[in-house]
PDB file of all heavy atoms in Angstrom:
ATOM      1  N   VAL A 236      -7.789   5.594  -4.976  1.00 95.00           N
ATOM      2  CA  VAL A 236      -6.563   4.798  -5.001  1.00 95.00           C
ATOM      3  C   VAL A 236      -6.977   3.347  -4.754  1.00 95.00           C
ATOM      4  O   VAL A 236      -6.979   2.852  -3.629  1.00 95.00           O
ATOM      5  CB  VAL A 236      -5.547   5.300  -3.955  1.00 95.00           C
ATOM      6  CG1 VAL A 236      -4.240   4.506  -4.052  1.00 95.00           C
ATOM      7  CG2 VAL A 236      -5.266   6.786  -4.159  1.00 95.00           C
ATOM      8  N   TRP A 237      -7.368   2.666  -5.842  1.00 93.00           N
ATOM      9  CA  TRP A 237      -7.872   1.294  -5.717  1.00 93.00           C
ATOM     10  C   TRP A 237      -6.781   0.360  -5.209  1.00 93.00           C
ATOM     11  O   TRP A 237      -7.035  -0.503  -4.366  1.00 93.00           O
ATOM     12  CB  TRP A 237      -8.402   0.827  -7.064  1.00 93.00           C
ATOM     13  CG  TRP A 237      -9.514   1.686  -7.563  1.00 93.00           C
ATOM     14  CD1 TRP A 237      -9.427   2.684  -8.488  1.00 93.00           C
ATOM     15  CD2 TRP A 237     -10.872   1.684  -7.108  1.00 93.00           C
ATOM     16  NE1 TRP A 237     -10.656   3.290  -8.652  1.00 93.00           N
ATOM     17  CE2 TRP A 237     -11.558   2.695  -7.821  1.00 93.00           C
ATOM     18  CE3 TRP A 237     -11.575   0.918  -6.183  1.00 93.00           C
ATOM     19  CZ2 TRP A 237     -12.911   2.953  -7.633  1.00 93.00           C
ATOM     20  CZ3 TRP A 237     -12.922   1.166  -5.993  1.00 93.00           C
ATOM     21  CH2 TRP A 237     -13.573   2.169  -6.703  1.00 93.00           C
ATOM     22  N   VAL A 238      -5.592   0.489  -5.753  1.00 94.00           N
ATOM     23  CA  VAL A 238      -4.397  -0.151  -5.200  1.00 94.00           C
ATOM     24  C   VAL A 238      -3.265   0.859  -5.335  1.00 94.00           C
ATOM     25  O   VAL A 238      -3.363   1.828  -6.087  1.00 94.00           O
ATOM     26  CB  VAL A 238      -4.003  -1.456  -5.944  1.00 94.00           C
ATOM     27  CG1 VAL A 238      -5.058  -2.527  -5.778  1.00 94.00           C
ATOM     28  CG2 VAL A 238      -3.727  -1.197  -7.412  1.00 94.00           C
ATOM     29  N   ILE A 239      -2.184   0.640  -4.595  1.00 96.00           N
ATOM     30  CA  ILE A 239      -1.026   1.509  -4.760  1.00 96.00           C
ATOM     31  C   ILE A 239      -0.427   1.192  -6.127  1.00 96.00           C
ATOM     32  O   ILE A 239      -0.025   0.053  -6.387  1.00 96.00           O
ATOM     33  CB  ILE A 239      -0.006   1.276  -3.636  1.00 96.00           C
ATOM     34  CG1 ILE A 239      -0.677   1.467  -2.270  1.00 96.00           C
ATOM     35  CG2 ILE A 239       1.190   2.216  -3.790  1.00 96.00           C
ATOM     36  CD1 ILE A 239      -1.328   2.813  -2.057  1.00 96.00           C
ATOM     37  N   PRO A 240      -0.383   2.158  -7.039  1.00 96.00           N
ATOM     38  CA  PRO A 240       0.026   1.846  -8.412  1.00 96.00           C
ATOM     39  C   PRO A 240       1.521   1.592  -8.546  1.00 96.00           C
ATOM     40  O   PRO A 240       2.333   2.125  -7.786  1.00 96.00           O
ATOM     41  CB  PRO A 240      -0.383   3.107  -9.187  1.00 96.00           C
ATOM     42  CG  PRO A 240      -0.365   4.198  -8.163  1.00 96.00           C
ATOM     43  CD  PRO A 240      -0.767   3.561  -6.869  1.00 96.00           C
ATOM     44  N   GLY A 241       1.862   0.765  -9.533  1.00 96.00           N
ATOM     45  CA  GLY A 241       3.260   0.488  -9.822  1.00 96.00           C
ATOM     46  C   GLY A 241       3.818  -0.642  -8.987  1.00 96.00           C
ATOM     47  O   GLY A 241       3.175  -1.158  -8.067  1.00 96.00           O
ATOM     48  N   ASP A 242       5.056  -1.043  -9.308  1.00 97.00           N
ATOM     49  CA  ASP A 242       5.709  -2.106  -8.538  1.00 97.00           C
ATOM     50  C   ASP A 242       6.845  -1.579  -7.671  1.00 97.00           C
ATOM     51  O   ASP A 242       7.220  -2.197  -6.684  1.00 97.00           O
ATOM     52  CB  ASP A 242       6.202  -3.227  -9.459  1.00 97.00           C
ATOM     53  CG  ASP A 242       7.062  -2.729 -10.613  1.00 97.00           C
ATOM     54  OD1 ASP A 242       7.432  -1.548 -10.630  1.00 97.00           O
ATOM     55  OD2 ASP A 242       7.355  -3.545 -11.521  1.00 97.00           O
ATOM     56  N   SER A 243       7.394  -0.412  -8.009  1.00 98.00           N
ATOM     57  CA  SER A 243       8.423   0.221  -7.170  1.00 98.00           C
ATOM     58  C   SER A 243       7.748   1.295  -6.325  1.00 98.00           C
ATOM     59  O   SER A 243       8.021   2.488  -6.432  1.00 98.00           O
ATOM     60  CB  SER A 243       9.531   0.810  -8.040  1.00 98.00           C
ATOM     61  OG  SER A 243       8.997   1.726  -8.984  1.00 98.00           O
ATOM     62  N   SER A 244       6.832   0.860  -5.494  1.00 98.00           N
ATOM     63  CA  SER A 244       5.998   1.747  -4.678  1.00 98.00           C
ATOM     64  C   SER A 244       5.554   0.982  -3.447  1.00 98.00           C
ATOM     65  O   SER A 244       5.472  -0.251  -3.457  1.00 98.00           O
ATOM     66  CB  SER A 244       4.774   2.207  -5.485  1.00 98.00           C
ATOM     67  OG  SER A 244       4.051   1.085  -5.962  1.00 98.00           O
ATOM     68  N   LEU A 245       5.252   1.701  -2.397  1.00 97.00           N
ATOM     69  CA  LEU A 245       4.799   1.056  -1.165  1.00 97.00           C
ATOM     70  C   LEU A 245       4.043   2.052  -0.301  1.00 97.00           C
ATOM     71  O   LEU A 245       4.050   3.251  -0.572  1.00 97.00           O
ATOM     72  CB  LEU A 245       5.967   0.452  -0.391  1.00 97.00           C
ATOM     73  CG  LEU A 245       7.061   1.374   0.154  1.00 97.00           C
ATOM     74  CD1 LEU A 245       7.797   0.678   1.302  1.00 97.00           C
ATOM     75  CD2 LEU A 245       8.074   1.742  -0.916  1.00 97.00           C
ATOM     76  N   SER A 246       3.383   1.531   0.713  1.00 98.00           N
ATOM     77  CA  SER A 246       2.666   2.348   1.693  1.00 98.00           C
ATOM     78  C   SER A 246       3.381   2.250   3.033  1.00 98.00           C
ATOM     79  O   SER A 246       3.753   1.145   3.454  1.00 98.00           O
ATOM     80  CB  SER A 246       1.226   1.862   1.868  1.00 98.00           C
ATOM     81  OG  SER A 246       0.461   2.094   0.727  1.00 98.00           O
ATOM     82  N   VAL A 247       3.525   3.380   3.691  1.00 98.00           N
ATOM     83  CA  VAL A 247       4.114   3.392   5.023  1.00 98.00           C
ATOM     84  C   VAL A 247       3.280   4.281   5.935  1.00 98.00           C
ATOM     85  O   VAL A 247       2.575   5.179   5.476  1.00 98.00           O
ATOM     86  CB  VAL A 247       5.579   3.891   5.008  1.00 98.00           C
ATOM     87  CG1 VAL A 247       6.456   2.978   4.161  1.00 98.00           C
ATOM     88  CG2 VAL A 247       5.687   5.330   4.532  1.00 98.00           C
ATOM     89  N   ASN A 248       3.373   4.019   7.225  1.00 98.00           N
ATOM     90  CA  ASN A 248       2.741   4.904   8.190  1.00 98.00           C
ATOM     91  C   ASN A 248       3.677   6.068   8.508  1.00 98.00           C
ATOM     92  O   ASN A 248       4.764   6.194   7.919  1.00 98.00           O
ATOM     93  CB  ASN A 248       2.312   4.135   9.442  1.00 98.00           C
ATOM     94  CG  ASN A 248       3.483   3.417  10.107  1.00 98.00           C
ATOM     95  OD1 ASN A 248       4.654   3.834   9.986  1.00 98.00           O
ATOM     96  ND2 ASN A 248       3.195   2.335  10.806  1.00 98.00           N
ATOM     97  N   LEU A 249       3.295   6.905   9.433  1.00 98.00           N
ATOM     98  CA  LEU A 249       4.092   8.099   9.716  1.00 98.00           C
ATOM     99  C   LEU A 249       5.338   7.788  10.531  1.00 98.00           C
ATOM    100  O   LEU A 249       6.146   8.683  10.779  1.00 98.00           O
ATOM    101  CB  LEU A 249       3.231   9.153  10.408  1.00 98.00           C
ATOM    102  CG  LEU A 249       2.028   9.643   9.583  1.00 98.00           C
ATOM    103  CD1 LEU A 249       1.278  10.741  10.316  1.00 98.00           C
ATOM    104  CD2 LEU A 249       2.444  10.114   8.198  1.00 98.00           C
ATOM    105  N   ALA A 250       5.507   6.523  10.873  1.00 98.00           N
ATOM    106  CA  ALA A 250       6.771   6.075  11.466  1.00 98.00           C
ATOM    107  C   ALA A 250       7.732   5.545  10.403  1.00 98.00           C
ATOM    108  O   ALA A 250       8.870   5.178  10.715  1.00 98.00           O
ATOM    109  CB  ALA A 250       6.513   4.997  12.511  1.00 98.00           C
ATOM    110  N   GLY A 251       7.273   5.461   9.162  1.00 98.00           N
ATOM    111  CA  GLY A 251       8.121   4.978   8.081  1.00 98.00           C
ATOM    112  C   GLY A 251       8.093   3.478   7.907  1.00 98.00           C
ATOM    113  O   GLY A 251       8.961   2.923   7.220  1.00 98.00           O
ATOM    114  N   GLU A 252       7.080   2.809   8.462  1.00 98.00           N
ATOM    115  CA  GLU A 252       6.988   1.355   8.397  1.00 98.00           C
ATOM    116  C   GLU A 252       5.823   0.934   7.493  1.00 98.00           C
ATOM    117  O   GLU A 252       4.759   1.552   7.517  1.00 98.00           O
ATOM    118  CB  GLU A 252       6.760   0.784   9.797  1.00 98.00           C
ATOM    119  CG  GLU A 252       7.868   1.138  10.783  1.00 98.00           C
ATOM    120  CD  GLU A 252       7.450   0.868  12.223  1.00 98.00           C
ATOM    121  OE1 GLU A 252       6.214   0.850  12.491  1.00 98.00           O
ATOM    122  OE2 GLU A 252       8.334   0.708  13.069  1.00 98.00           O
ATOM    123  N   ARG A 253       6.036  -0.115   6.709  1.00 98.00           N
ATOM    124  CA  ARG A 253       4.915  -0.690   5.971  1.00 98.00           C
ATOM    125  C   ARG A 253       3.882  -1.220   6.957  1.00 98.00           C
ATOM    126  O   ARG A 253       4.238  -1.724   8.034  1.00 98.00           O
ATOM    127  CB  ARG A 253       5.379  -1.831   5.071  1.00 98.00           C
ATOM    128  CG  ARG A 253       6.158  -1.402   3.844  1.00 98.00           C
ATOM    129  CD  ARG A 253       6.590  -2.616   3.036  1.00 98.00           C
ATOM    130  NE  ARG A 253       5.477  -3.225   2.313  1.00 98.00           N
ATOM    131  CZ  ARG A 253       5.402  -4.520   2.002  1.00 98.00           C
ATOM    132  NH1 ARG A 253       6.354  -5.365   2.380  1.00 98.00           N
ATOM    133  NH2 ARG A 253       4.375  -4.979   1.321  1.00 98.00           N
ATOM    134  N   TYR A 254       2.614  -1.156   6.571  1.00 97.00           N
ATOM    135  CA  TYR A 254       1.550  -1.591   7.477  1.00 97.00           C
ATOM    136  C   TYR A 254       0.493  -2.446   6.786  1.00 97.00           C
ATOM    137  O   TYR A 254      -0.461  -2.897   7.416  1.00 97.00           O
ATOM    138  CB  TYR A 254       0.868  -0.369   8.104  1.00 97.00           C
ATOM    139  CG  TYR A 254       0.185   0.526   7.093  1.00 97.00           C
ATOM    140  CD1 TYR A 254      -1.171   0.377   6.808  1.00 97.00           C
ATOM    141  CD2 TYR A 254       0.898   1.504   6.413  1.00 97.00           C
ATOM    142  CE1 TYR A 254      -1.792   1.173   5.861  1.00 97.00           C
ATOM    143  CE2 TYR A 254       0.283   2.321   5.470  1.00 97.00           C
ATOM    144  CZ  TYR A 254      -1.055   2.146   5.199  1.00 97.00           C
ATOM    145  OH  TYR A 254      -1.676   2.941   4.260  1.00 97.00           O
ATOM    146  N   VAL A 255       0.659  -2.719   5.466  1.00 98.00           N
ATOM    147  CA  VAL A 255      -0.405  -3.391   4.720  1.00 98.00           C
ATOM    148  C   VAL A 255       0.165  -3.945   3.423  1.00 98.00           C
ATOM    149  O   VAL A 255       1.219  -3.493   2.947  1.00 98.00           O
ATOM    150  CB  VAL A 255      -1.546  -2.380   4.418  1.00 98.00           C
ATOM    151  CG1 VAL A 255      -1.139  -1.387   3.341  1.00 98.00           C
ATOM    152  CG2 VAL A 255      -2.861  -3.066   4.069  1.00 98.00           C
ATOM    153  N   ASN A 256      -0.533  -4.915   2.849  1.00 98.00           N
ATOM    154  CA  ASN A 256      -0.260  -5.373   1.493  1.00 98.00           C
ATOM    155  C   ASN A 256      -0.813  -4.326   0.532  1.00 98.00           C
ATOM    156  O   ASN A 256      -2.029  -4.154   0.406  1.00 98.00           O
ATOM    157  CB  ASN A 256      -0.928  -6.731   1.265  1.00 98.00           C
ATOM    158  CG  ASN A 256      -0.894  -7.200  -0.180  1.00 98.00           C
ATOM    159  OD1 ASN A 256      -0.352  -6.543  -1.066  1.00 98.00           O
ATOM    160  ND2 ASN A 256      -1.484  -8.348  -0.434  1.00 98.00           N
ATOM    161  N   GLU A 257       0.063  -3.631  -0.150  1.00 98.00           N
ATOM    162  CA  GLU A 257      -0.337  -2.514  -0.998  1.00 98.00           C
ATOM    163  C   GLU A 257      -1.203  -2.925  -2.178  1.00 98.00           C
ATOM    164  O   GLU A 257      -1.867  -2.073  -2.785  1.00 98.00           O
ATOM    165  CB  GLU A 257       0.902  -1.780  -1.517  1.00 98.00           C
ATOM    166  CG  GLU A 257       1.734  -1.109  -0.438  1.00 98.00           C
ATOM    167  CD  GLU A 257       2.813  -2.002   0.159  1.00 98.00           C
ATOM    168  OE1 GLU A 257       2.797  -3.235  -0.119  1.00 98.00           O
ATOM    169  OE2 GLU A 257       3.668  -1.484   0.896  1.00 98.00           O
ATOM    170  N   LYS A 258      -1.185  -4.176  -2.551  1.00 97.00           N
ATOM    171  CA  LYS A 258      -1.987  -4.662  -3.674  1.00 97.00           C
ATOM    172  C   LYS A 258      -3.247  -5.386  -3.222  1.00 97.00           C
ATOM    173  O   LYS A 258      -4.002  -5.899  -4.045  1.00 97.00           O
ATOM    174  CB  LYS A 258      -1.156  -5.591  -4.573  1.00 97.00           C
ATOM    175  CG  LYS A 258       0.103  -4.938  -5.123  1.00 97.00           C
ATOM    176  CD  LYS A 258      -0.192  -3.735  -5.992  1.00 97.00           C
ATOM    177  CE  LYS A 258       1.076  -3.149  -6.572  1.00 97.00           C
ATOM    178  NZ  LYS A 258       0.812  -1.954  -7.403  1.00 97.00           N
ATOM    179  N   ASN A 259      -3.481  -5.441  -1.923  1.00 96.00           N
ATOM    180  CA  ASN A 259      -4.723  -6.034  -1.432  1.00 96.00           C
ATOM    181  C   ASN A 259      -5.905  -5.260  -1.989  1.00 96.00           C
ATOM    182  O   ASN A 259      -5.841  -4.043  -2.175  1.00 96.00           O
ATOM    183  CB  ASN A 259      -4.733  -6.025   0.096  1.00 96.00           C
ATOM    184  CG  ASN A 259      -5.950  -6.701   0.674  1.00 96.00           C
ATOM    185  OD1 ASN A 259      -6.762  -6.068   1.321  1.00 96.00           O
ATOM    186  ND2 ASN A 259      -6.082  -7.996   0.446  1.00 96.00           N
ATOM    187  N   HIS A 260      -6.995  -5.937  -2.221  1.00 93.00           N
ATOM    188  CA  HIS A 260      -8.125  -5.342  -2.926  1.00 93.00           C
ATOM    189  C   HIS A 260      -8.703  -4.148  -2.165  1.00 93.00           C
ATOM    190  O   HIS A 260      -8.587  -4.037  -0.944  1.00 93.00           O
ATOM    191  CB  HIS A 260      -9.192  -6.395  -3.200  1.00 93.00           C
ATOM    192  CG  HIS A 260      -9.808  -6.981  -1.966  1.00 93.00           C
ATOM    193  ND1 HIS A 260     -10.854  -6.381  -1.304  1.00 93.00           N
ATOM    194  CD2 HIS A 260      -9.536  -8.118  -1.277  1.00 93.00           C
ATOM    195  CE1 HIS A 260     -11.201  -7.121  -0.266  1.00 93.00           C
ATOM    196  NE2 HIS A 260     -10.418  -8.177  -0.229  1.00 93.00           N
ATOM    197  N   PRO A 261      -9.343  -3.226  -2.880  1.00 91.00           N
ATOM    198  CA  PRO A 261      -9.805  -1.984  -2.262  1.00 91.00           C
ATOM    199  C   PRO A 261     -10.870  -2.171  -1.200  1.00 91.00           C
ATOM    200  O   PRO A 261     -11.058  -1.295  -0.350  1.00 91.00           O
ATOM    201  CB  PRO A 261     -10.340  -1.168  -3.446  1.00 91.00           C
ATOM    202  CG  PRO A 261     -10.597  -2.159  -4.523  1.00 91.00           C
ATOM    203  CD  PRO A 261      -9.578  -3.246  -4.341  1.00 91.00           C
ATOM    204  N   GLY A 262     -11.582  -3.281  -1.200  1.00 91.00           N
ATOM    205  CA  GLY A 262     -12.600  -3.474  -0.186  1.00 91.00           C
ATOM    206  C   GLY A 262     -12.052  -3.793   1.185  1.00 91.00           C
ATOM    207  O   GLY A 262     -12.768  -3.688   2.185  1.00 91.00           O
TER     208      GLY A 262
END
């Protein structure tokens, strides 16, 4: 998963909160 694919998508932790820029580079 190099980046989270798509634009209507996001990453959340197990509390349901975003924790990162989903398009930040894989490194």
Side-chain angles (χ1 to χ4, degrees):
V236 183
W237 300 100
V238 295
I239 304 303
D242 52 9
S243 56
S244 56
L245 63 158
S246 292
V247 299
N248 57 27
L249 299 183
E252 301 166 336
R253 287 179 74 209
Y254 63 94
V255 73
N256 171 1
E257 295 89 349
K258 302 299 183 181
N259 184 244
H260 64 84

